[in-house]
Amino acid sequence: MPQKNRTVKSVLGGLVGLVGLSVVAGLLVTASVTPVLAMTGITGSTALSLFEKLPENLKVNSPMEQSTIYATGTDGNPYPLASFYEQNRIPLNYDQIAPVMYDAILSSEDKNFYTHGGVNLGATIKAAFGNVVGSTDRGASTITQQYVKNVQIQECEQNVDTSADNYDELVNECWSKYAIATGSEGMERKLREMRYALQIEKEYSKNDILLGYLNISSFGGQVYGIEAAANRYFSTTAANLTVAQAATIAGMVQEPNTLRIDLPGGTWTDKDGVAHNGEADGYAKTLERRNYVLDRMLKDGKITQAQYDEAYATPITPAIKTTAQGCTTAGDNAYFCQYVKSVIESDPAFGDSVEERRANLRRGGMQIYTTLDMRLQQPAVEAVHARVPQSLPGILVGGTGVSLEATTGRILAMAQNTAFNETTTANLAAGETSQVFAADRQHGGSTYGFETGSTYKLFTLLEWLNTGHSVNQVLDGRLRVISPFTVCGEKVTNKEKINNFGNGGGSVSSVARFTAQSLNTGFLAMAQQLDLCKINEVAKSLGVHYGNGDDITVGGTNANTSPNAPFPSVLGSKSVAPLQMAGAYAAVANNGVFCEPKAIDRVVGSDGQERKIPETTCTQVLTPEVAATAAFALRGVMEGGTGGNAKPNDGIQVIGKTGTAEKEHTMLIESSTKVTTAVWVGNIDGRENLSRFRNGDGTPLNNIRYGLAKAIQTAANATFGGDPFPKPDDKLTKQVTADVPNVVGMTQAAAIAALEAAGFTAAVGNPVDGPAGDVIMAQDPSGQAATGTTVTISPSNGQGIVMPDVTTKHWNAAKQELIQAGFTTMSFNASCSGNATVQSTDPAPGASTNAAQPVTVQC
């Protein structure tokens, strides 16, 4: 950078500093040559600390490096998804660089590199004197000193906030501070540079130092290191550089941002507005510098005259290779990349602060091996793009599919219908976003998540089983107002009625049947026997939370529901990320063991050592008996229930559940014993009925989930297989029976209340003969019956006669009483004469009958 005019005072100060530099520099060299003499001769001097331990950042194998995220490819090998860097650098080993590159850099920068001790004292003092009067130290430093300078510049740059508006300006200040030695500060910097250079020469071989220099040097823009320079400017590798190419790159280190050749319009413009050092002038400044390097190489005997002539005659012809970075480069895998990036930026395993974690991602040279498996990811991407439009007029359409390994929580696939765009120009209406539909806000997803619909019924089913209830228990799931409910131990009255899908009237049936049919009223009947808070606690134990990270709470999200309405906690108007729901169903498939979703398998640092990764755990949340029985009920969903259209045709057992919320969000989750898949298709802002819109093949958006889930799970089964689910628990599938109350003689209302209180339902049958008034004359069944069984009660028709008790009475008196009671047909046996008395009657005394009933009297 150009220097300001020097004042007389500053020049004098510089001269004083120069004298000090020459004295201390002499001590430095003396110390490096004869340490014992130096240490005894300068006792009390600050030079005693000149050879203290070399700072960690100056080790020649620790440059700022890019980090790369990998998936597992279809061939089982690491598959790069994206790289992150502030300095595009690919460190090499010594034998990975063409010898001509070493020759070019040594001839132009430090021809005596292999014979000096790290410092060129005479040249350094000469350059410092020139600096006093306004020049720079260019050409004065050895390669070892330049290495030190580059490290210090990089260390300064590492401390620059990457989000700062004046980032480029701050980076340039780093260059000014360490690359140009002015005044007393510059003298101090020069002394430090010399001290460190001498120490590096003591600790490292010449080849290591030279390699470190080439790996760390700037070659313009974000290009750092010789491999990145070869890639960028000539689309080749450092091992394959020609003489002309090596000389061009070697010449850049003097003024990398001026001599770079990737800006065709020129790297600088003169006062007349003419661009220079670009394609138009043949990269004149770079060509001049390249030819200087060729001259030096020829004089040093590094190249022949023929090589020189050929290279000198070769015009500079860049073959620019653009190396993009960030998740944008991951293409269809960008949303998973964004998820991984969010993990790195938020987890303490990667640093104590957000700033440190972001810096480690862009500067730490990490190799991040993720859980994404391209054997499943690629089919998932194809399935989503084939079925869910990127955009449609009139609706913000969204769709995603995510698959987990049930036994570990590893995220195997994450696909999305939109085009990844994390710039401010992203147009959601055109299907552009960086929002990860499968994830919660912490991991790049929606603030609120998306509605789960009836997939949330899983937690009512699990709490039902946790409390010892059977899936074969029969309940009254007919359409009605169900009340009261228990909320955190207290009874809450409900005055509202909710319909079933398709406005069905419901039924009296088993819990297993309610699950297969996804019957709202059936699950409300189940929830009435549970505590709504306990249902949400089950969800929490299985990793489920609101999209913003908050715990699930009891209460309505609809303005028409009361604060403690049961519907959200039971029927699923909850805003939860599909990934969290997938994790819960995976626990059922994994014998009740819940594994937290994980995206990173291992991380290797720039030193080749394994680094700590985010901690995830697998915990036995459900008993194996509950998990097996829940799986039994959820198999019914996929085998003849609401999820049948999503069942793969490969013979592998799957469990699952469907869900629809307000006709604006649809979800479907299915799982083998190995892999769990959750898909969501919906209106991103929840304002339009999905059934009004269709995809390219004419399928209504609300039905896309079936084919989408089936395609992804089929691919999962083909790759990972699946075992039969365990048999359900005997106690949790038993037929539940109870004593049927005897309601004969009660009023109809009292009979119905008594039966329902005991867990039965009442059906009023045809009236039977009986006395006038509201009285039940008969019931079926009686004794014991399965809970929920319908008991038919028969009221009196008011036409009945109760058979009077005429036994022991004179037969003639008995006859008169029967006539008076209304009987018209009577027969008395032969013994009924004289003073005989009645021994028995048919009907028996007290029996309900009618006037037409013949009466037989025995005396």
Side-chain angles (χ1 to χ4, degrees), residues 498-514:
I498 191 165
N499 291 324
N500 292 304
F501 185 79
N503 296 317
S507 64
V508 176
S509 192
S510 68
V511 167
R513 189 63 181 159
F514 293 157

Side-chain angles (χ1 to χ4, degrees), residues 459-804:
F459 309 114
T460 298
L461 174 63
L462 293 175
E463 180 61 10
W464 179 262
L465 297 172
N466 282 340
T467 52
H469 289 88
S470 168
V471 292
N472 284 323
Q473 187 167 342
V474 177
L475 300 174
D476 182 2
R478 291 175 299 179
L479 185 61
R480 57 201 167 93
V481 174
I482 300 176
S483 182
F485 287 89
T486 303
V487 179
C488 298
E490 298 194 10
K491 295 293 182 182
V492 174
T493 300
N494 173 56
K495 298 180 180 180
E496 299 170 63
K497 179 172 66 175
I498 191 165
N499 291 324
N500 292 304
F501 185 79
N503 296 317
S507 64
V508 176
S509 192
S510 68
V511 167
R513 189 63 181 159
F514 293 157
T515 304
Q517 295 178 329
S518 194
L519 192 67
N520 291 341
T521 48
F523 270 82
L524 289 173
M526 294 163 62
Q528 191 182 24
Q529 299 188 37
L530 306 172
D531 189 316
L532 303 190
C533 293
K534 295 290 186 181
I535 293 173
N536 286 337
E537 286 176 12
V538 172
K540 181 180 178 180
S541 71
L542 293 172
V544 174
H545 52 256
Y546 287 124
N548 65 0
D550 291 347
D551 288 343
I552 301 290
T553 57
V554 176
T557 58
N558 188 306
N560 296 320
T561 61
S562 59
N564 291 318
F567 313 140
S569 294
V570 181
L571 307 180
S573 57
K574 299 290 184 184
S575 297
V576 178
L579 180 62
Q580 268 64 58
M581 294 300 296
Y585 278 79
V588 175
N590 191 31
N591 299 311
V593 177
F594 167 64
C595 294
E596 296 175 284
K598 63 179 295 186
I600 298 174
D601 279 334
R602 65 191 184 98
V603 174
V604 178
S606 58
D607 57 359
Q609 300 299 309
E610 296 269 348
R611 287 191 51 158
K612 182 181 178 182
I613 64 173
E615 294 182 3
T616 57
T617 60
C618 290
T619 308
Q620 188 82 49
V621 174
L622 308 170
T623 67
E625 294 78 12
V626 165
T629 308
F632 168 74
L634 293 169
R635 279 180 55 197
V637 175
M638 307 303 293
E639 298 171 5
T642 59
N645 289 337
K647 183 179 183 295
N649 302 320
D650 51 20
I652 293 177
Q653 287 185 355
V654 291
I655 63 175
K657 190 72 190 70
T658 56
T660 302
E662 304 298 331
K663 299 181 181 179
E664 297 163 353
H665 300 274
T666 64
M667 194 173 285
L668 197 155
I669 306 170
E670 60 180 291
S671 180
S672 68
T673 57
K674 303 296 184 182
V675 176
T676 305
T677 297
V679 302
W680 167 83
V681 178
N683 182 12
I684 297 171
D685 62 358
R687 296 179 183 176
E688 293 290 342
N689 187 330
L690 294 177
S691 63
R692 294 180 49 234
F693 300 87
R694 283 168 167 72
N695 69 0
D697 63 15
T699 303
L701 296 189
N702 58 316
N703 289 334
I704 288 176
R705 54 183 163 161
Y706 299 105
L708 179 58
K710 181 177 181 178
I712 298 175
Q713 190 64 41
T714 296
N717 290 353
T719 301
F720 295 90
D723 301 318
F725 283 90
K727 292 182 179 180
D729 182 69
D730 291 340
K731 293 180 180 179
L732 297 177
T733 53
K734 67 183 179 180
Q735 187 73 49
V736 180
T737 61
D739 291 331
V740 181
N742 184 1
V743 297
V744 173
M746 294 183 182
T747 64
Q748 181 171 307
I752 292 174
L755 289 170
E756 290 183 346
F760 298 92
T761 58
V764 179
N766 295 326
V768 298
D769 293 332
D774 181 9
V775 60
I776 299 301
M777 301 303 298
Q779 70 178 67
D780 182 37
S782 59
Q784 278 208 334
T787 56
T789 296
T790 299
V791 178
T792 302
I793 54 176
S794 301
S796 170
N797 60 11
Q799 300 174 5
I801 299 174
V802 176
M803 182 68 183

Side-chain angles (χ1 to χ4, degrees), residues 370-383:
T370 72
T371 60
L372 196 73
D373 193 317
M374 297 306 295
R375 294 174 299 172
L376 182 51
Q377 171 69 358
Q378 193 57 43
V381 167
E382 292 171 358

Side-chain angles (χ1 to χ4, degrees), residues 837-848:
T837 59
V838 176
Q839 299 299 311
S840 64
T841 61
D842 182 18
S848 294

Side-chain angles (χ1 to χ4, degrees), residues 321-336:
K321 180 179 180 181
T322 300
T323 304
Q325 65 155 317
C327 288
T328 301
T329 64
D332 290 328
N333 310 311
Y335 295 100
F336 176 77

